[in-house]
Structure formats: structure tokens, C-alpha cells
Amino acid sequence: MAVKFWEKRPETETPKKPKSAAREWGDAILFAVVAATLIRWATFEAYTIPTPSMENSLLVGDYLFVSKLHYGPRTPQTPLQVPLTHQTIWGTNIPSYSEAIQLTARRLPGFSEVKRNDVVVFNVPFEKQHPADLRTNYIKRCIGVAGDQIEVRQSQVYINGKPATNPPHLQTSYSLYTDAPIRPEIFQEQGIVEYDSPNGAPMLGYAGDTVLYSPVHMTKEAADFMRQQPYVKRLVEQRLPAGVPDPSVFPNSVDFPAPTPLSATTRPWNADNYGPLQIPKEGQTVQITRENAGIYFKIVGQYEHTPGITWKDGLIYQNGQPLTSYTFKQDYYFMMGDNRHNSQDSRYWGFVPADHIVGKAVLIWLSVDPNAPSFFSKIRWNRLFHLID
């Protein structure tokens, strides 16, 4: 059999026209958008920290890489979306997506499961105005995984009856009484920041003739430093007493952020004394009663899309009949901020479904101090390329 490796082009054949500059640029831009979209979806995505709920572990102005590879990338639930956008088109309030097509969430294999103490980015579950995969991204620490029993006693977290390991930069809030105002530089040296204050220092007030700073969010090490200073008269940790119920915590408030409905059973829980509460696990079956219906209402009706679900007189109804038992379709997680008294987290809005998990925060590649006076001092050089723990 003869094989032709080369054949002379007939002289009559018209050579192809070279691409125009516009076509070349269009092809390059299209390729870049497709490549960036695939990388962002399947491998790593950049995020920034906008709020102090994770201080002092993560700081406002930290820029992160979040790994989708750890837990596995999710298949898109809302495929009709402008590439490289989230909820709106850049610089506008125009939605960047259409809900005409909604797909079932799937997750490709990852090389890790969500573990306790992982710093996790997820779509906040309580937003109803957006599809699940386009809800606002939150970042918190995973305190408990599916099947765990979580409890908080006097601000200390317990998992399955044992004290949990606290993050190394855990913050709580204090009332600080002093003889005179404290220089902002002293607060800055101890990592104490109030981002709503013009100079970054906690707001100054007075209690009679005593200077009062309250609340002051700081680590245990910063609190120990303050207690040793001669100008500090008193330092009191702000902690809610046990047995005093907070109607805004979950599940006393069933459907955060709405004030109603309220659970039929008001638990004596607050942010510092919470639980015990078991985290639902895929395949687990629970009996639904008036006492626990508030815990499971959002799971059954919203997160797992069970048809015909309503709430009436402290009970879950399906198609007009009381729901007496339920088997969970996915795992759930309990998330908390490291700035324990300045974090809106699972203590207020409940569990995070597995299909809301975005990825694991792994690296700080840039950190910018919003309160620094000059460009070069704005860069927190010691945080560049810092691994997240």
C-alpha cells in the first residue's frame, strides 16, 4: 500500500487568508476566559477577607487561595452564568446568571474530606434570594463534622464530650478599664484592631472617671499583656452566663435571618453556652417531634428540597400531615469564626450542607492593612505566602 507523506499543493489552490488582528485577539481572549473559568472551577480560586470574624487567624485584607481539589470541585448547579462572575456583572447590580436551568449538585472526587479545624469557604445557607452555588461566600473554621455532638460551655467548645483544640489565634471580647487613654500603637503591636475606627484602635469611652474600651476583641496572649500594664485597672472577659436563653440563636430562631418562626422549645442556649446538638449525617434517620422540629425544618424543606413542607404550630408538615421521621440525604457541618464574640456563624443560622462547601483555604498570597497610612506600610510582609492553619 502506498502512503503519501507529502504532496505538492496544486498551483490553482488558493492559500488561506491570515487571521485579522481582531480575530487573533478574539481567539486569545476566548481561550483565556475558558482556561480561567476551568481553573477557577476545578483547582484554585482567589478570595479576600472582608470582615473580622476570623481574626486573628485571618485578617481583614488577607488575599487567599482556596483549593477546590481538597474536597473535590462541584459541578455547576446554575450553568447559565456570565463567566468569571458570582452574583452580579462586574460594577453593576445586574444579575450575572439565569435560574432557567437548575441542576442537581454533584462533587468530583477530592483527596480529602472536610475535617475538624479546617478553614473552609462555603456558600452561606440562609440566603434564599440566590441559587445555592451562588450564595455569598463565607469563611469559617469547621468545628464539627457530620455525626459529631457539639457543645459550648463557658466559651469552650466540646466535641463528643471532650474539649476541642482551640485555634492558636482565637479571639474573645473584653471590657478594658484604664487610668488614661492608650496609644493606638500599643493596640496595633498586640494585634488589636477595630476596623470601624479611624485609627484602627478600639473606641474610647468613659465609666465615671475611668477610661473604658468595650468591646475589645483580642487573643489570650494580648489579654495577658494588658493585665500586666500599670495603666490597666481592670480587664473583664465578656461572657454570657449559662442558662440565659438568646432567642436569636439556632434553633430558638428556626429560619434565620427571619425573626419567625420560633422553635416550640426554647433552649437555654446562647453564644457562650450552646448545645449539646448533634450534627446530621447522610443516611441517618431521626424521629421528628415538637421538641426537635426546629432543628430540622430548614434541612427538610430548604436544603434537601422535600416537596410539600410547611411549618405550623411548632411542627413540620408534609402535604398537610405531620412529618414524624426523616432520613438525611447529605452530610452537614458546624462552622464558627475564630473571633468568637464577633462572628455570625452556625450558632445563629445552623448547619452548612455538604453541597454548599466550596473549598479549603490553604494560602495567604497577599495581605493589605486597610488602616496603614502609606502604600509600603499597607503590605503585611510577614503574611505573604503564609500557609493557613
Side-chain angles (χ1 to χ4, degrees):
M1 181 177 66
V3 178
K4 290 185 179 180
F5 289 97
W6 174 83
E7 183 177 9
K8 184 178 179 181
R9 175 185 295 172
E11 294 182 2
T12 57
E13 184 176 331
T14 305
K16 291 183 179 179
K17 281 187 177 182
K19 292 182 181 179
S20 67
R23 176 71 181 276
E24 292 276 4
W25 274 105
D27 289 350
I29 291 171
L30 178 61
F31 175 81
V33 168
V34 171
T37 301
L38 289 174
I39 291 170
R40 183 174 180 253
W41 164 70
T43 57
F44 293 91
E45 188 172 358
Y47 290 84
T48 185
I49 301 295
T51 69
S53 69
M54 285 294 289
E55 302 256 341
N56 251 333
S57 303
L58 297 174
L59 308 181
V60 171
D62 280 351
Y63 289 80
L64 318 175
F65 281 132
V66 173
S67 168
K68 310 288 185 70
L69 299 171
H70 275 74
Y71 310 138
R74 297 177 300 176
T75 58
Q77 296 172 247
T78 311
L80 300 181
Q81 181 187 2
V82 178
L84 305 179
T85 61
H86 188 56
Q87 295 173 347
T88 57
I89 295 174
W90 315 280
T92 73
N93 292 321
I94 302 172
S96 63
Y97 61 91
S98 168
E99 294 187 66
I101 299 177
Q102 285 288 288
L103 306 178
T104 303
R106 297 285 187 267
R107 190 177 296 275
L108 301 182
F111 57 79
S112 176
E113 301 290 336
V114 180
K115 300 185 184 72
R116 299 186 200 102
N117 288 321
D118 280 359
V119 178
V120 179
V121 171
F122 55 93
N123 301 117
V124 67
F126 60 76
E127 278 189 351
K128 299 177 185 177
Q129 67 269 36
H130 301 295
D133 59 334
L134 292 175
R135 290 169 181 165
T136 300
N137 293 312
Y138 270 32
I139 184 166
K140 306 287 181 187
R141 192 175 297 275
C142 178
I143 299 300
V145 299
D148 282 348
Q149 185 187 76
I150 184 168
E151 187 174 6
V152 183
R153 306 176 202 161
Q154 294 299 310
S155 298
Q156 172 62 52
V157 175
Y158 288 77
I159 302 295
N160 301 324
K162 297 179 180 179
T165 301
N166 290 325
H169 303 292
L170 182 74
Q171 282 199 163
T172 52
S173 299
Y174 296 82
S175 295
L176 175 62
Y177 300 83
T178 66
D179 290 328
I182 300 175
R183 289 186 295 112
E185 292 78 9
I186 294 178
F187 288 119
Q188 184 179 15
E189 290 168 2
Q190 297 304 311
I192 301 169
V193 183
E194 178 56 62
Y195 291 98
D196 293 332
S197 173
N199 59 6
M203 301 297 289
L204 183 150
Y206 289 90
D209 296 331
T210 302
V211 175
L212 170 63
Y213 296 91
S214 181
V216 183
H217 310 294
M218 56 180 147
T219 63
K220 182 180 182 300
E221 290 74 18
D224 291 341
F225 170 85
M226 287 297 179
R227 288 191 179 97
Q228 297 170 6
Q229 305 313 303
Y231 49 79
V232 173
K233 299 178 69 173
R234 194 155 53 106
L235 184 64
V236 180
E237 184 175 354
Q238 296 181 355
R239 185 179 294 172
L240 297 169
V244 177
D246 180 352
S248 67
V249 301
F250 173 83
N252 289 344
S253 175
V254 172
D255 196 13
F256 180 92
T260 57
L262 297 177
S263 177
T265 302
T266 300
R267 292 163 174 80
W269 298 357
N270 54 52
D272 293 321
N273 298 275
Y274 187 92
L277 177 67
Q278 188 177 44
I279 304 171
K281 184 178 180 65
E282 182 181 2
Q284 175 190 3
T285 300
V286 293
Q287 302 303 308
I288 307 294
T289 66
R290 186 176 296 274
E291 287 69 32
N292 65 17
I295 298 173
Y296 304 123
F297 171 65
K298 287 201 295 184
I299 290 178
V300 177
Q302 296 178 27
Y303 306 156
E304 302 198 348
H305 311 292
T306 307
I309 295 299
T310 56
W311 176 272
K312 180 181 177 183
D313 299 330
L315 285 173
I316 302 172
Y317 283 75
Q318 184 176 22
N319 299 323
Q321 298 298 319
L323 187 68
T324 58
S325 68
Y326 187 77
T327 301
F328 302 113
K329 300 174 184 176
Q330 60 180 320
D331 286 337
Y332 290 82
Y333 302 92
F334 199 93
M335 308 288 184
M336 291 175 65
D338 287 358
N339 194 355
R340 291 291 165 81
H341 287 145
N342 193 18
S343 173
Q344 184 190 87
D345 51 38
S346 286
R347 291 170 293 179
Y348 296 93
W349 36 255
F351 309 113
V352 175
D355 63 6
H356 282 53
I357 300 293
V358 174
K360 181 179 181 180
V362 293
L363 178 73
I364 300 169
W365 61 274
L366 176 66
S367 186
V368 178
D369 184 352
N371 292 317
S374 66
F375 173 77
F376 286 104
S377 62
K378 279 184 177 294
I379 305 298
R380 302 182 180 113
W381 298 100
N382 64 326
R383 296 184 69 79
L384 268 60
F385 301 103
H386 177 75
L387 293 175
I388 297 171
D389 55 13

PDB file of all heavy atoms in Angstrom, residues 149-151 153 156-165:
ATOM      1  N   GLN A 149     -21.348  15.440  68.068  1.00  0.00           N
ATOM      2  CA  GLN A 149     -22.183  16.206  69.002  1.00  0.00           C
ATOM      3  C   GLN A 149     -21.361  17.394  69.474  1.00  0.00           C
ATOM      4  O   GLN A 149     -20.242  17.242  69.972  1.00  0.00           O
ATOM      5  CB  GLN A 149     -22.603  15.358  70.191  1.00  0.00           C
ATOM      6  CG  GLN A 149     -23.571  16.103  71.127  1.00  0.00           C
ATOM      7  CD  GLN A 149     -23.858  15.323  72.394  1.00  0.00           C
ATOM      8  OE1 GLN A 149     -23.035  15.263  73.309  1.00  0.00           O
ATOM      9  NE2 GLN A 149     -25.044  14.721  72.451  1.00  0.00           N
ATOM     10  N   ILE A 150     -21.912  18.583  69.291  1.00  0.00           N
ATOM     11  CA  ILE A 150     -21.191  19.802  69.630  1.00  0.00           C
ATOM     12  C   ILE A 150     -21.839  20.473  70.833  1.00  0.00           C
ATOM     13  O   ILE A 150     -23.068  20.456  71.000  1.00  0.00           O
ATOM     14  CB  ILE A 150     -21.138  20.779  68.434  1.00  0.00           C
ATOM     15  CG1 ILE A 150     -20.289  21.996  68.790  1.00  0.00           C
ATOM     16  CG2 ILE A 150     -22.529  21.193  67.985  1.00  0.00           C
ATOM     17  CD1 ILE A 150     -19.951  22.861  67.607  1.00  0.00           C
ATOM     18  N   GLU A 151     -20.995  21.056  71.677  1.00  0.00           N
ATOM     19  CA  GLU A 151     -21.476  21.787  72.849  1.00  0.00           C
ATOM     20  C   GLU A 151     -20.473  22.889  73.169  1.00  0.00           C
ATOM     21  O   GLU A 151     -19.265  22.722  72.941  1.00  0.00           O
ATOM     22  CB  GLU A 151     -21.626  20.853  74.043  1.00  0.00           C
ATOM     23  CG  GLU A 151     -22.274  21.503  75.256  1.00  0.00           C
ATOM     24  CD  GLU A 151     -22.545  20.517  76.388  1.00  0.00           C
ATOM     25  OE1 GLU A 151     -22.125  19.341  76.266  1.00  0.00           O
ATOM     26  OE2 GLU A 151     -23.157  20.921  77.385  1.00  0.00           O
ATOM     27  N   ARG A 153     -19.420  25.301  76.404  1.00  0.00           N
ATOM     28  CA  ARG A 153     -19.588  25.580  77.828  1.00  0.00           C
ATOM     29  C   ARG A 153     -18.629  26.696  78.222  1.00  0.00           C
ATOM     30  O   ARG A 153     -17.411  26.532  78.119  1.00  0.00           O
ATOM     31  CB  ARG A 153     -19.279  24.344  78.681  1.00  0.00           C
ATOM     32  CG  ARG A 153     -20.042  23.084  78.306  1.00  0.00           C
ATOM     33  CD  ARG A 153     -19.567  21.913  79.154  1.00  0.00           C
ATOM     34  NE  ARG A 153     -19.850  20.631  78.535  1.00  0.00           N
ATOM     35  CZ  ARG A 153     -19.239  19.496  78.868  1.00  0.00           C
ATOM     36  NH1 ARG A 153     -18.295  19.501  79.805  1.00  0.00           N
ATOM     37  NH2 ARG A 153     -19.545  18.372  78.237  1.00  0.00           N
ATOM     38  N   GLN A 156     -15.879  27.486  75.835  1.00  0.00           N
ATOM     39  CA  GLN A 156     -15.039  26.376  75.386  1.00  0.00           C
ATOM     40  C   GLN A 156     -15.888  25.375  74.610  1.00  0.00           C
ATOM     41  O   GLN A 156     -16.923  24.929  75.096  1.00  0.00           O
ATOM     42  CB  GLN A 156     -14.376  25.682  76.580  1.00  0.00           C
ATOM     43  CG  GLN A 156     -13.623  24.397  76.241  1.00  0.00           C
ATOM     44  CD  GLN A 156     -12.465  24.613  75.283  1.00  0.00           C
ATOM     45  OE1 GLN A 156     -11.603  25.468  75.523  1.00  0.00           O
ATOM     46  NE2 GLN A 156     -12.424  23.859  74.196  1.00  0.00           N
ATOM     47  N   VAL A 157     -15.431  25.035  73.400  1.00  0.00           N
ATOM     48  CA  VAL A 157     -16.142  24.071  72.566  1.00  0.00           C
ATOM     49  C   VAL A 157     -15.799  22.653  72.998  1.00  0.00           C
ATOM     50  O   VAL A 157     -14.638  22.337  73.289  1.00  0.00           O
ATOM     51  CB  VAL A 157     -15.787  24.267  71.077  1.00  0.00           C
ATOM     52  CG1 VAL A 157     -16.420  23.182  70.221  1.00  0.00           C
ATOM     53  CG2 VAL A 157     -16.227  25.649  70.598  1.00  0.00           C
ATOM     54  N   TYR A 158     -16.817  21.816  73.050  1.00  0.00           N
ATOM     55  CA  TYR A 158     -16.647  20.389  73.328  1.00  0.00           C
ATOM     56  C   TYR A 158     -17.198  19.607  72.143  1.00  0.00           C
ATOM     57  O   TYR A 158     -18.287  19.895  71.642  1.00  0.00           O
ATOM     58  CB  TYR A 158     -17.392  19.985  74.604  1.00  0.00           C
ATOM     59  CG  TYR A 158     -16.756  20.490  75.874  1.00  0.00           C
ATOM     60  CD1 TYR A 158     -16.894  21.818  76.260  1.00  0.00           C
ATOM     61  CD2 TYR A 158     -16.008  19.641  76.690  1.00  0.00           C
ATOM     62  CE1 TYR A 158     -16.305  22.300  77.420  1.00  0.00           C
ATOM     63  CE2 TYR A 158     -15.416  20.103  77.861  1.00  0.00           C
ATOM     64  CZ  TYR A 158     -15.563  21.431  78.213  1.00  0.00           C
ATOM     65  OH  TYR A 158     -14.981  21.901  79.363  1.00  0.00           O
ATOM     66  N   ILE A 159     -16.433  18.609  71.701  1.00  0.00           N
ATOM     67  CA  ILE A 159     -16.850  17.727  70.622  1.00  0.00           C
ATOM     68  C   ILE A 159     -16.965  16.312  71.182  1.00  0.00           C
ATOM     69  O   ILE A 159     -15.987  15.773  71.711  1.00  0.00           O
ATOM     70  CB  ILE A 159     -15.864  17.755  69.450  1.00  0.00           C
ATOM     71  CG1 ILE A 159     -15.703  19.176  68.908  1.00  0.00           C
ATOM     72  CG2 ILE A 159     -16.310  16.802  68.345  1.00  0.00           C
ATOM     73  CD1 ILE A 159     -16.959  19.745  68.296  1.00  0.00           C
ATOM     74  N   ASN A 160     -18.167  15.757  71.089  1.00  0.00           N
ATOM     75  CA  ASN A 160     -18.422  14.408  71.604  1.00  0.00           C
ATOM     76  C   ASN A 160     -17.987  14.278  73.062  1.00  0.00           C
ATOM     77  O   ASN A 160     -17.416  13.258  73.478  1.00  0.00           O
ATOM     78  CB  ASN A 160     -17.723  13.360  70.733  1.00  0.00           C
ATOM     79  CG  ASN A 160     -18.184  13.420  69.288  1.00  0.00           C
ATOM     80  OD1 ASN A 160     -19.349  13.676  69.003  1.00  0.00           O
ATOM     81  ND2 ASN A 160     -17.266  13.214  68.346  1.00  0.00           N
ATOM     82  N   GLY A 161     -18.230  15.330  73.821  1.00  0.00           N
ATOM     83  CA  GLY A 161     -17.966  15.326  75.252  1.00  0.00           C
ATOM     84  C   GLY A 161     -16.553  15.691  75.652  1.00  0.00           C
ATOM     85  O   GLY A 161     -16.258  15.806  76.846  1.00  0.00           O
ATOM     86  N   LYS A 162     -15.644  15.925  74.687  1.00  0.00           N
ATOM     87  CA  LYS A 162     -14.257  16.233  75.010  1.00  0.00           C
ATOM     88  C   LYS A 162     -13.917  17.651  74.558  1.00  0.00           C
ATOM     89  O   LYS A 162     -14.388  18.102  73.504  1.00  0.00           O
ATOM     90  CB  LYS A 162     -13.315  15.236  74.322  1.00  0.00           C
ATOM     91  CG  LYS A 162     -13.518  13.796  74.783  1.00  0.00           C
ATOM     92  CD  LYS A 162     -12.569  12.862  74.047  1.00  0.00           C
ATOM     93  CE  LYS A 162     -12.785  11.410  74.510  1.00  0.00           C
ATOM     94  NZ  LYS A 162     -11.885  10.475  73.797  1.00  0.00           N
ATOM     95  N   PRO A 163     -13.081  18.365  75.342  1.00  0.00           N
ATOM     96  CA  PRO A 163     -12.721  19.735  74.936  1.00  0.00           C
ATOM     97  C   PRO A 163     -12.038  19.745  73.577  1.00  0.00           C
ATOM     98  O   PRO A 163     -11.135  18.938  73.311  1.00  0.00           O
ATOM     99  CB  PRO A 163     -11.757  20.191  76.043  1.00  0.00           C
ATOM    100  CG  PRO A 163     -12.045  19.297  77.200  1.00  0.00           C
ATOM    101  CD  PRO A 163     -12.476  17.982  76.628  1.00  0.00           C
ATOM    102  N   ALA A 164     -12.486  20.636  72.703  1.00  0.00           N
ATOM    103  CA  ALA A 164     -11.883  20.765  71.377  1.00  0.00           C
ATOM    104  C   ALA A 164     -10.590  21.561  71.468  1.00  0.00           C
ATOM    105  O   ALA A 164     -10.405  22.381  72.374  1.00  0.00           O
ATOM    106  CB  ALA A 164     -12.852  21.446  70.418  1.00  0.00           C
ATOM    107  N   THR A 165      -9.688  21.308  70.535  1.00  0.00           N
ATOM    108  CA  THR A 165      -8.454  22.088  70.446  1.00  0.00           C
ATOM    109  C   THR A 165      -8.784  23.475  69.924  1.00  0.00           C
ATOM    110  O   THR A 165      -9.376  23.622  68.853  1.00  0.00           O
ATOM    111  CB  THR A 165      -7.449  21.408  69.508  1.00  0.00           C
ATOM    112  OG1 THR A 165      -7.166  20.091  70.009  1.00  0.00           O
ATOM    113  CG2 THR A 165      -6.161  22.199  69.418  1.00  0.00           C
TER     114      THR A 165
END
